[in-house]
Amino acid sequence: MAALGGDGLRLLSVSRPERQPETAALGGPGPGLCCWVSVFSCLSLACSYVGSLYVWKSELPRDHPAVIKRRFTSVLVVSSLSPLCVLLWRELTGIQPGTSLLTLMGFRLEGFFPAALLPLLLTMILFLGPLMQLSMDCPCDLADGLKVVLAPRSWARCLTDMRWLRNQVIAPLTEELVFRACMLPMLAPCTGLGPAVFTCPLFFGVAHFHHIFEQLRFRQSSVGSIFLSAAFQFSYTAVFGAYTAFLFIRTGHLIGPVLCHSFCNYMGFPAVCAALEHPQRRPLLAGYALGVGLFLLLLQPLTDPKLYGSLPLCVLLERAGDSEAPLCS
C-alpha cells in the first residue's frame, strides 16, 4: 500500500512475489496513475449510463412508453458492458483482487438469502412512519391489500406498465450494477472503504442532473423551481447512494441494494409535511421517530459481515495488508 502525494488517498498493491513494485507494474508513472484510472473509469461509466438515455431523438416526454422502451434497450446494453470497464481497470492498474470479477461485483451464492432479506427489512423499518401513513390513507384493510398484492392479475398489470418496470426493476438493477457493483471495487483500493462509501454516491447524484434538461425542455416548472428540485434530488440520491454503498460493502452482495432501491422508488421521499397535517399525526409522527430509532439501533447488527460470509472487497483490502478496515467487522 502506497500513500498518494500526502493527500490521504491510498493505493492498493497486491502482487505476486516475483512481480515488480507497483510503479514498475504500471509502466513507471507512479502510483498516482491508479487513482486517476479509477476516477476516470467511474466518470466514464456515469457518462455512458446517462448518455445512453439520449441516443434516441424524440420530442416525447420521458414517461411516454415509447421513450421508456427505447431507453430500456440502451441502458441495458451499457449496463451489460459495464463489467468490461472493471476488467480493463484491473488490467491497467495491475491490481489482483484474488477472486472472480462476478464475485467482486456482488454476484455470489454465499449468504444470498440473508443479503436479500435483512437489508430490505432494515429499509422497511426506516420507512415505518411512511408505511403507517400509507396504511392509514388506504381505503382497504390488510386482508384486501394482501389479496391485491398476491393476485396474479396485479403482477400481470405491473409487468405491462412501462413506468413500473422502469422504476421497480430496470432502474434499480442497472443503477446499482453500474454505480455500486462496478464503481466501488475500483474506488475502494484507491480511497479505502470508508471514503468510497461517500465518494461513489457523488457520481450517482450527478448522474441525476440530466432531469434538469428534460424539465427545462418541456417547461414543466419555473427555472428556479427546477434547479431547486435538482439540488434536493442530488442531496437525496447522494445520501441514498451512500446507504446502498454501505450495504454493498457490508453484505458483499448486489441483491440487497437492488431490492432496497426498488422499495425506495416505490415509497418515494417521505411525506413529512403531510404527516404533520394528518388527522392522526401524533401516532404517525411517533411511527416516524420509532422507525428512525430502530433503524439506527439495528443498522450494525443486521449488516454484520458475519451473516454474509467472506466479503470480496474486504478480502481485497486484506490482501494488501489493510486488515483494520472498520466496515469489514
Side-chain angles (χ1 to χ4, degrees), residues 45 48-50 52 71-88 101-102 105 107 170-179 181-182 254:
L45 275 178
S48 299
Y49 186 92
V50 175
S52 70
R71 290 183 169 184
F72 277 1
T73 302
S74 55
V75 82
L76 285 172
V77 169
V78 170
S79 301
S80 299
L81 295 176
S82 60
L84 296 179
C85 186
V86 185
L87 189 62
L88 179 61
L101 184 64
L102 289 178
M105 294 172 57
F107 294 95
I170 302 299
L173 178 60
T174 58
E175 288 181 2
E176 294 304 319
L177 173 62
V178 171
F179 291 94
C182 290
L254 182 62

Side-chain angles (χ1 to χ4, degrees), residues 85-240:
C85 186
V86 185
L87 189 62
L88 179 61
W89 162 84
R90 188 182 67 180
E91 295 302 317
L92 290 174
T93 59
I95 294 174
Q96 301 299 323
T99 185
S100 70
L101 184 64
L102 289 178
T103 300
L104 190 65
M105 294 172 57
F107 294 95
R108 60 197 188 98
L109 293 178
E110 183 185 18
F112 178 83
F113 290 107
L117 297 176
L118 296 182
L120 180 59
L121 175 61
L122 182 65
T123 307
M124 293 177 71
I125 290 173
L126 176 62
F127 277 78
L128 178 61
L131 286 171
M132 289 176 57
Q133 190 171 349
L134 187 63
S135 65
M136 289 177 179
D137 297 337
C138 182
C140 58
D141 57 24
L142 180 60
D144 292 336
L146 288 175
K147 289 180 181 179
V148 172
V149 170
L150 299 177
R153 289 183 179 180
S154 299
W155 285 100
R157 283 195 299 268
C158 290
L159 293 175
T160 56
D161 184 345
M162 290 297 103
R163 293 183 63 181
W164 187 90
L165 283 174
R166 178 192 64 191
N167 296 337
Q168 311 308 137
V169 180
I170 302 299
L173 178 60
T174 58
E175 288 181 2
E176 294 304 319
L177 173 62
V178 171
F179 291 94
R180 245 65 71 186
C182 290
M183 290 190 183
L184 277 172
M186 294 189 292
L187 286 174
C190 179
T191 65
L193 291 180
V197 167
F198 298 100
T199 305
C200 185
L202 298 180
F203 296 98
F204 183 58
V206 171
H208 285 74
F209 273 136
H210 72 94
H211 294 309
I212 295 178
F213 303 106
E214 294 191 351
Q215 291 174 356
L216 289 173
R217 178 185 175 190
F218 292 101
R219 298 295 179 183
Q220 296 177 353
S221 184
S222 66
V223 175
S225 298
I226 290 174
F227 278 95
L228 185 63
S229 174
F232 173 77
Q233 187 178 37
F234 170 79
S235 303
Y236 176 61
T237 53
V239 171
F240 174 78

